[in-house]
Amino acid sequence: MPVLAINGGKKVREKLFPAHNPIGEEEKKAVEKVLDKGKLSRFLGCWHEDFFGGDEVRALEKEWAEKFGVKHAISVNSATSALYCAVGAAGIGPGDEVIVSPYTMTASASAALVYNAIPVFADIEEEYYCLDPDSIEEKITERTKAIIVVDIMGQPYDADRINAIAKKHNLIVIEDAAQAPGAMYKERYAGTLGDIGIYSLNYHKHIHSGEGGIIVTNDDELAERLMLIRNHAEAVVEDKGVTNLVNMIGFNYRMTEIEAAIAREQLKKLDDLLQVRLKNVEYLSREFAKVPCIEVSKIREESKHAFYIQALKFNKEIAGISREKFIEAVNAELAPFEMRETEGVKFGCGYVRPLYLQPIYQKLIAYGDKGCPFKCPHYKGQVNYNKGICPVCEDMHYEKVITHEYMVPSMKKEDMDDIVAAFMKVWNNIGEIRE
Ligand SMILES: *Cc1c(COP(=O)(O)O)cnc(C)c1O
C-alpha cells in the first residue's frame, strides 16, 4: 500500500490554506469616503496646483515619506511604472548600460529597455540571491550608468559594498524594494538605501491597493523629474521652467484617490503584518531544519528580511532524488491557497527563470523588428545573453532553490504544521519515489 499521495496515498491536507487578505473595514470606509466626495482623481496634466494630484494621493505620499524616513515619496499606478520613472529620471538613454539582476521580476530589467538602454546581467549571491558585488564590478564598462539592485524575496541588497562601487564609478543606484517594504539594512529601510527606491502595492505584495507603486528619493531634482514623467512631462516642462529635457516624455502613471485611500490604511497595517510573517518564518525554519535534505536560506548580517518569499535549498545528494521529484511529492500532499486555487500548491522549484533566457533577450527583439536597442548605432558594446553568463543564478534556479509563500500572515500554527508534516512524510517515505 503506497503512503505518499503522489502514489495514491492519503493527502496530509485537503482543505485550502487561508488566503492572505489584508483588506478590512478600514479600507472599505476609506473608499466610501472617496466615493461620497465623487472626486476619484484630481490630477491635471499641465503646470497647475493639481499637477501633484488629489488629497488622498498627497496624504499617502506624506505618510509614506515619514514612515520610511525619506524626503520625497511619489505615488504611481504600479511598481513597474515606478521603475520606468526611475530609469527615466536618472537620465538613462540609448547607448547606456544598466547592470541588473537576472533573478527578479521581469520589470526590474525591462525598465532599462524602455529607455533604449541595455540591461547587463550580473550574477547573484549564492546565499542571499541578491546582486553579487564582485560580479557587478566585472560587468562595469565606460557605458555603465546605473545599477538596478533588487531586495529579492524581501532580503536587502549588500548596500555598503554596492553603494561604494556605485560611488567609485559614478553610477546611480535604483533599488527595487517591491518585495521588501519594512525590511532593514543597518537600521535603514530597504527602498531608501540607494538613490531612488521603489515599492509595489499590487495585490500579491505585503500590503496592497489592487495595483499601485511608490517611488522614494532624498534628491529634489530627481523627485521633480519623477513627478514629471508620472504626469505628461512634455506638456508641463515649459510652464514649470524645467530646462533639462532629457527623458521628458511623460506618461500617465497617476494613482487614483481610491487606491491612495486604501494604501494609507494598508500602510498603517504594515508593521503588524510583517511581524506575523517573521514569526511564521521563524517557526517554519525551525521545523524545516529537521528535514535532512532541506537547508533554510540565510538572512544577511545586520539586516531584517521582509520574507515576501522564503527560499530553501535542496540537497540532491542527501535526498537521493531530484528536487523536482521531491517537490512534486510534497505538493501532492498539500492544497492551494484560498482565492488562488487555480495557481496550485505554491512550493516552486527555483524562483523565476534567469531573465536573459526570455525570448526578447535570446532573439534581440524589443523595439520594432530591427534589433533596437541591442543593435542601436549609439550602442558601442556587444550584448551577451548566452546561457551560462550567470552560473550561480542558473545553479540556484535549476538545481537548488525551492521557494514558497506559506508564511503569509493568514497562516496559523496548525496550517504550518501541515506544511511541515508534508515535508517530513515525503522524507520518511522517500524510498517510494527513488528511481
Ligand atoms: C511585484 C514586483 C514588481 C512590479 O510590481 P507591480 O506593482 O506589479 O508593477 C517589480 N519588482 C519586483 C521585484 C516585484 O516583485
Side-chain angles (χ1 to χ4, degrees):
M1 278 286 281
V3 181
L4 294 178
I6 194 175
N7 290 335
K10 191 173 157 6
K11 277 158 123 37
V12 168
R13 169 104 176 194
E14 295 278 353
K15 202 174 88 181
L16 297 175
F17 285 97
H20 168 51
N21 181 6
I23 303 297
E25 284 305 312
E26 300 80 5
E27 286 76 11
K28 220 189 228 170
K29 284 211 189 81
V31 169
E32 261 173 25
K33 237 175 70 187
V34 174
L35 289 176
D36 286 343
K37 283 196 206 159
K39 255 193 177 174
L40 307 195
S41 179
R42 210 178 89 201
F43 274 106
L44 279 181
C46 59
W47 183 227
H48 178 278
E49 167 65 10
D50 288 354
F51 168 74
F52 298 103
D55 296 338
E56 295 292 338
V57 158
R58 293 188 208 191
L60 168 65
E61 291 174 345
K62 185 162 174 285
E63 288 156 9
W64 197 282
E66 274 166 15
K67 161 79 189 163
F68 290 94
V70 66
K71 195 163 175 196
H72 303 279
I74 295 146
S75 63
V76 282
N77 59 359
S78 75
T80 300
S81 306
L83 284 162
Y84 294 2
C85 276
V87 172
I92 289 160
D96 295 340
E97 291 177 349
V98 178
I99 295 181
V100 296
S101 170
Y103 217 35
T104 175
M105 189 262 176
T106 182
S108 326
S110 61
L113 283 179
V114 164
Y115 282 89
N116 281 291
I118 303 295
V120 172
F121 294 94
D123 212 345
I124 60 168
E125 303 164 304
E126 190 161 348
E127 300 293 351
Y128 312 118
Y129 319 115
C130 296
L131 271 180
D132 176 358
D134 293 330
S135 180
I136 290 176
E137 286 210 279
E138 285 166 19
K139 306 277 172 155
I140 290 175
T141 71
E142 72 270 14
R143 295 173 294 276
T144 311
K145 284 284 155 59
I147 308 170
I148 299 180
V149 290
V150 185
D151 303 318
I152 202 68
M153 303 183 201
Q155 176 103 260
Y157 75 101
D158 187 346
D160 278 356
R161 283 198 59 202
I162 294 178
N163 290 357
I165 293 168
K167 195 162 174 203
K168 184 170 142 203
H169 297 273
N170 198 22
L171 309 176
I172 288 201
V173 175
I174 297 170
E175 182 183 11
D176 179 346
Q179 302 187 355
M184 298 191 104
Y185 176 81
K186 298 190 176 173
E187 310 297 318
R188 284 164 64 208
Y189 278 111
T192 70
L193 304 170
D195 297 297
I196 307 176
I198 69 101
Y199 302 89
S200 174
L201 290 166
N202 95 22
Y203 173 58
H204 296 291
K205 297 297 175 6
H206 291 68
I207 55 172
H208 78 90
S209 52
E211 305 285 353
I214 306 278
I215 320 167
V216 296
T217 183
N218 285 313
D219 184 299
D220 295 341
E221 194 191 333
L222 285 175
E224 178 182 58
R225 288 170 59 76
L226 291 163
M227 285 188 278
L228 284 161
I229 294 169
R230 165 177 75 175
N231 188 12
H232 303 294
E234 73 280 3
V236 184
V237 283
E238 201 167 24
D239 290 340
K240 198 174 188 299
V242 174
T243 52
N244 176 3
L245 298 183
V246 171
N247 294 340
M248 285 294 105
I249 303 170
F251 295 85
N252 175 354
Y253 291 152
R254 306 176 313 206
M255 181 184 267
T256 71
E257 290 290 280
I258 291 182
E259 288 155 346
I262 296 172
R264 290 179 68 194
E265 294 304 325
Q266 288 281 283
L267 181 58
K268 293 181 200 161
K269 299 181 179 181
L270 175 62
D271 286 345
D272 288 346
L273 288 168
L274 189 54
Q275 208 49 39
V276 182
R277 259 180 207 265
L278 298 185
K279 265 178 60 186
N280 286 351
V281 166
E282 208 179 297
Y283 183 74
L284 282 170
S285 297
R286 204 165 54 227
E287 296 301 312
F288 281 139
K290 297 173 187 166
V291 186
C293 60
I294 298 292
E295 185 194 325
V296 174
S297 295
K298 294 187 179 71
I299 301 174
R300 193 185 304 285
E301 260 179 57
E302 294 185 75
S303 294
K304 177 178 171 184
H305 197 302
F307 285 106
Y308 176 63
I309 289 170
Q310 183 179 33
L312 310 171
K313 266 190 199 157
F314 185 76
N315 188 318
K316 190 165 64 179
E317 282 67 43
I318 293 176
I321 62 168
S322 72
R323 174 188 65 171
E324 280 66 15
K325 191 83 201 168
F326 188 89
I327 288 303
E328 196 188 339
V330 167
N331 284 349
E333 300 292 339
L334 296 170
F337 276 115
E338 290 164 1
M339 296 169 71
R340 298 179 74 172
E341 295 92 330
T342 56
E343 295 175 40
V345 179
K346 296 293 284 175
F347 277 96
C349 292
Y351 171 51
V352 289
R353 175 174 57 161
L355 291 182
Y356 50 85
L357 298 177
Q358 287 180 343
I360 66 163
Y361 298 107
Q362 289 302 302
K363 304 217 179 296
L364 301 183
I365 294 176
Y367 283 104
D369 62 357
K370 299 182 181 63
C372 296
F374 309 104
K375 297 172 187 165
C376 167
H378 293 293
Y379 183 55
K380 306 297 184 209
Q382 185 84 52
V383 296
N384 177 4
Y385 298 130
N386 292 339
K387 200 167 183 352
I389 57 170
C390 297
V392 176
C393 182
E394 290 181 22
D395 185 39
M396 292 303 121
H397 182 69
Y398 290 109
E399 302 290 336
K400 301 209 172 74
V401 165
I402 295 167
T403 51
H404 79 92
E405 298 174 35
Y406 288 96
M407 82 304 281
V408 290
S410 50
M411 292 287 287
K412 299 279 176 275
K413 181 175 175 298
E414 53 276 22
D415 300 315
M416 291 188 287
D417 283 340
D418 283 342
I419 298 289
V420 175
F423 271 77
M424 272 301 178
K425 184 178 163 190
V426 173
W427 168 255
N428 288 330
N429 298 281
I430 207 158
E432 257 190 50
I433 46 176
R434 277 208 183 106
E435 281 84 22

